Amino acid sequence: MTEMLRAPAEVKYAEELDWLESIDDGPKPFSWRLSPRMVRLFVLGSERADGLDREISPKWFGDRSFVERSIVTLASDRGLLLIGDPGTGKSWLAELLAAAISRNSTLVVQGTAGTTEDHIKYSWNVSMVIAKGQSRASMIPSPIMTAMEKGVIGRFEELTRSTSDVQDALISILSEKYVSIPELDDDNIVFAQPGFSIIATANSRDRGVNDLSSALKRRFNFVRIPVVTNKKSEAEIVRFRTTELLRRHEIELDVPPNLLDILLQSFADLRAAAASATSDDEKLESALSTAEQIGVLEDAILHSTFFGDRSLRAETLAGSLVGSLARRSPEDLAILNKYWHGVVEPRSKEDGGEWPAFLEGGRQAIATLS
Ligand SMILES: Nc1ncnc2c1ncn2[C@@H]1O[C@H](COP(=O)(O)OP(=O)(O)OP(=O)(O)O)[C@@H](O)[C@H]1O
Ligand SMILES: [Mg+2]
């Protein structure tokens, strides 16, 4: 296997997937590579009660009911729409499900304002059309069409950012389950093979979900993924991602548990403040998602590795936190400043530990940016 900056889940976890497939004797819908129970096990990890000979690592952290509902949807006639705030792990869950069910998570269309019908149907290889005319050979199927032909899962990221034309084309794909190619005289219909379905994601901050046509809404089951607010699961996610990051960069560095606590605590505090804010100016622009926490920690780790003495310090963590969250000046900086004075300062007096260093690092970062 050649190296990749980021391998898709079916490559990264190929060995686990092979093993699960080898012991899987459950009934499988359509052409699924794993039974629904095994898909769940792959995503959420194994427990002792599963009685397996080996441990399967958890990969997506969250309530099992979301995962179960997603799996059931994919075995049904409808597509799956994962909705949630930025960084809640929607894309990651979509990738894991496609990897477990189809062993292919890379048939992805990215929804933008510029996405056209061609991106979800097909386009033409112009030089081949000129040389040999239009035929199936000169047609370039989109990832969604390829998924239909193969009977696997196609993904549509950021569905709500695409135009209504594209959404309409998707309705016909999801209801008729075929795409016709009017340019061709024969062999001009591509039928979806059993097992084909779509996992779409939508960001609830885009406010586009309500604007989806009711016809499209009916063809999807919605699964809403909340921001993780449970500190224990959040710590698990952050630790899981950080371990991976350290391995990828071949960095030897321990993340002191008390610094991880400080990071989790400050995000919890800032979220509470955002929840009680009365206007958008009093709210950080950031959604304060778990992904953002991972970003802050990643930043601090890289900083310590490149410019520090290879141990993670509270000052560096505070600097990364302020640097990542202060996007709008002066609004975000004012909010962070208020937090540092009102919460970090008293905490540093009461709790001691790494808090005083965190206080100092944050103060400096805020002063630099102001
Ligand atoms: N519940 C979770 N379990 C495991 N990893 C998570 C979870 N939530 C977030 N992450 C990690 O956070 C990062 C961002 O997640 P992801 O890209 O899936 O978010 P998203 O919901 O698609 O966000 P966006 O709306 O911005 O596209 C990923 O590296 C992912 O692994
Ligand atoms: Mg995403």
Side-chain angles (χ1 to χ4, degrees):
M1 186 88 252
T2 54
E3 280 210 31
M4 287 176 238
L5 187 52
R6 185 183 160 297
E10 63 274 20
V11 173
K12 188 159 149 199
Y13 300 113
E15 195 264 334
E16 255 188 24
L17 288 165
D18 285 340
W19 186 79
L20 288 172
E21 203 170 329
S22 76
I23 60 155
D24 191 0
D25 53 11
K28 303 177 187 75
F30 317 112
S31 54
W32 285 24
R33 296 284 294 268
L34 292 177
S35 63
R37 276 170 181 276
M38 286 295 176
V39 175
R40 184 185 70 189
L41 206 123
F42 172 72
V43 173
L44 293 172
S46 56
E47 289 166 16
R48 189 172 291 247
D50 293 315
L52 299 183
D53 294 339
R54 60 175 280 186
E55 199 186 326
I56 298 298
S57 62
K59 298 163 195 76
W60 189 82
F61 299 84
D63 198 284
R64 70 152 58 186
S65 67
F66 300 136
V67 177
E68 287 175 358
R69 190 168 143 75
S70 300
I71 296 172
V72 169
T73 298
L74 291 170
S76 82
D77 213 27
R78 267 151 311 188
L80 169 64
L81 179 58
L82 300 172
I83 307 172
D85 272 348
T88 43
K90 302 179 293 294
S91 301
W92 176 231
L93 178 59
E95 177 176 340
L96 289 169
L97 289 168
I101 292 171
S102 309
R103 282 287 188 119
N104 187 343
S105 65
T106 57
L107 296 171
V108 187
V109 173
Q110 189 70 41
T112 66
T115 310
T116 64
E117 234 181 287
D118 294 357
H119 290 112
I120 62 169
K121 290 185 168 172
Y122 57 89
S123 54
W124 300 98
N125 177 329
V126 177
S127 56
M128 255 175 93
V129 170
I130 293 170
K132 298 194 179 145
Q134 282 178 320
S135 69
R136 283 298 275 270
S138 57
M139 190 185 90
I140 307 168
S142 70
I144 298 290
M145 193 183 237
T146 305
M148 294 174 80
E149 286 181 300
K150 292 188 172 175
V152 299
I153 290 187
R155 295 173 49 204
F156 199 124
E157 286 283 296
E158 310 293 357
L159 174 65
T160 45
R161 286 191 197 160
S162 61
T163 60
S164 54
D165 286 2
V166 173
Q167 294 178 12
D168 285 346
L170 202 57
I171 296 178
S172 89
I173 289 177
L174 282 168
S175 46
E176 326 308 345
K177 314 269 188 213
Y178 68 76
V179 171
S180 57
I181 311 158
E183 293 93 333
L184 298 183
D185 292 331
D186 46 27
D187 196 13
N188 56 8
I189 296 182
V190 170
F191 290 100
Q193 298 303 305
F196 165 70
S197 190
I198 290 184
I199 306 179
T201 60
N203 191 319
S204 39
R205 296 231 168 175
D206 283 349
R207 285 197 191 80
V209 178
N210 293 329
D211 302 337
L212 289 177
S213 73
S214 54
L216 191 60
K217 280 185 192 157
R218 250 188 301 120
R219 284 165 181 86
F220 279 103
N221 269 350
F222 290 26
V223 172
R224 285 182 192 277
I225 311 284
V227 172
V228 182
T229 45
N230 170 325
K231 261 210 210 144
K232 193 167 149 277
S233 347
E234 190 148 44
E236 274 174 342
I237 302 175
V238 177
R239 228 177 278 126
F240 165 75
R241 277 293 148 189
T242 318
T243 314
E244 219 164 61
L245 169 89
L246 293 170
R247 207 183 303 130
R248 182 145 55 84
H249 287 281
E250 296 177 353
I251 295 176
E252 306 252 345
L253 180 149
D254 284 327
V255 177
N258 48 358
L259 286 189
L260 188 59
D261 281 346
I262 288 186
L263 177 68
L264 295 169
Q265 185 61 51
S266 11
F267 263 71
D269 294 338
L270 288 165
R271 276 179 199 146
S276 62
T278 48
S279 80
D280 277 350
D281 281 355
E282 291 172 32
K283 258 190 216 150
L284 287 171
E285 194 205 70
S286 155
L288 298 167
S289 65
T290 310
E292 224 133 10
Q293 261 177 82
I294 297 169
V296 169
L297 190 58
E298 169 169 10
D299 210 78
I301 288 172
L302 293 177
H303 199 100
S304 314
T305 309
F306 298 153
F307 305 116
D309 59 3
R310 294 177 174 260
S311 60
L312 183 63
R313 299 191 185 287
E315 291 91 334
T316 316
L317 186 65
S320 298
L321 191 137
V322 170
S324 314
L325 298 183
R327 294 197 189 134
R328 297 172 310 172
S329 178
E331 295 91 337
D332 285 346
L333 272 171
I335 296 166
L336 288 166
N337 194 31
K338 190 169 148 203
Y339 170 65
W340 241 264
H341 276 297
V343 181
V344 180
E345 209 174 290
R347 219 181 244 130
S348 137
K349 290 204 185 95
E350 281 156 33
D351 299 358
E354 296 284 346
W355 283 100
F358 187 74
L359 171 71
E360 194 42 43
R363 261 191 196 145
Q364 278 174 18
I366 293 171
T368 313
L369 293 171
S370 299

